[in-house]
Amino acid sequence: MDAVELAVTAVRVWLGVVMVAHGLNHARSLDGTAKWFGKVGFKLPRRQAQVSAFGEVTIGASLVAGFLTSFGAFGLIAIVSVAFWSIHRFAGLFVFNRPDEGYEYVATLALAALALAAIGPGPVSVDAALGIADELDGWVGLGVAALGVLAAAAQLVLFWRRPED
């Protein structure tokens, strides 16, 4: 494994660990997460909390394993795009702008996921072991991952309204 392959693997695994941890945190405090989803304008807040927790854990596990990596990147981009549009964009760039927190964190996750989808999962991945890593990276990976923005837009159109201030 060369330095680039090691770096790609480290980024992929770390993105996965972050998503799994985020999802487990949502699952652990599902009632609070649902209440928060309702407060920020989501319809069916309990269902949104459940889907969010399950999605984050599943996406994270996919990235840790390097299994269907472009689709994991798609999911990560979808989740952070929803977070950006519904919460973080109102606070500006910096994450320390309370109470809503800025978008630097979610934008960084989205761009890292997009780069990972284009580069591929690295040699230590299920995708590589299955011989599909090269089929799902490059332009195909970018395309699949970028569709996460469309998935986010669909969720926002169907389930979110900016709450009245």
Side-chain angles (χ1 to χ4, degrees):
M1 179 182 308
D2 66 23
V4 172
E5 293 169 337
L6 178 63
V8 167
T9 301
V11 168
R12 187 196 80 233
V13 169
W14 179 246
L15 288 173
V17 166
V18 167
M19 291 307 293
V20 167
H22 206 80
L24 290 175
N25 186 54
H26 278 162
R28 182 179 52 83
S29 57
L30 200 56
D31 290 337
T33 301
K35 185 176 179 181
W36 180 81
F37 269 98
K39 179 183 172 193
V40 299
F42 282 94
K43 296 184 226 175
L44 305 171
R46 180 141 185 101
R47 180 66 51 171
Q48 293 291 327
Q50 292 167 330
V51 169
S52 178
F54 177 77
E56 289 164 354
V57 170
T58 303
I59 290 160
S62 164
L63 292 172
V64 167
F67 179 61
L68 300 175
T69 304
S70 295
F71 293 95
F74 159 93
L76 193 157
I77 289 169
I79 285 175
V80 298
S81 294
V82 167
F84 165 78
W85 191 261
S86 62
I87 305 298
H88 300 286
R89 71 184 170 111
F90 302 112
L93 176 66
F94 298 108
V95 78
F96 50 79
N97 290 342
R98 297 286 180 185
D100 292 328
E101 300 180 350
Y103 57 83
E104 65 181 320
Y105 174 68
V106 294
T108 299
L109 288 177
L111 288 173
L114 190 64
L116 179 64
I119 296 166
V124 181
S125 65
V126 174
D127 289 349
L130 294 174
I132 61 172
D134 292 339
E135 308 299 322
L136 295 175
D137 64 8
W139 289 109
V140 171
L142 277 175
V144 168
L147 288 174
V149 175
L150 293 178
Q155 180 183 6
L156 289 163
V157 165
L158 293 171
F159 297 105
W160 180 76
R161 299 293 177 271
R162 184 172 182 186
E164 300 296 323
D165 292 328

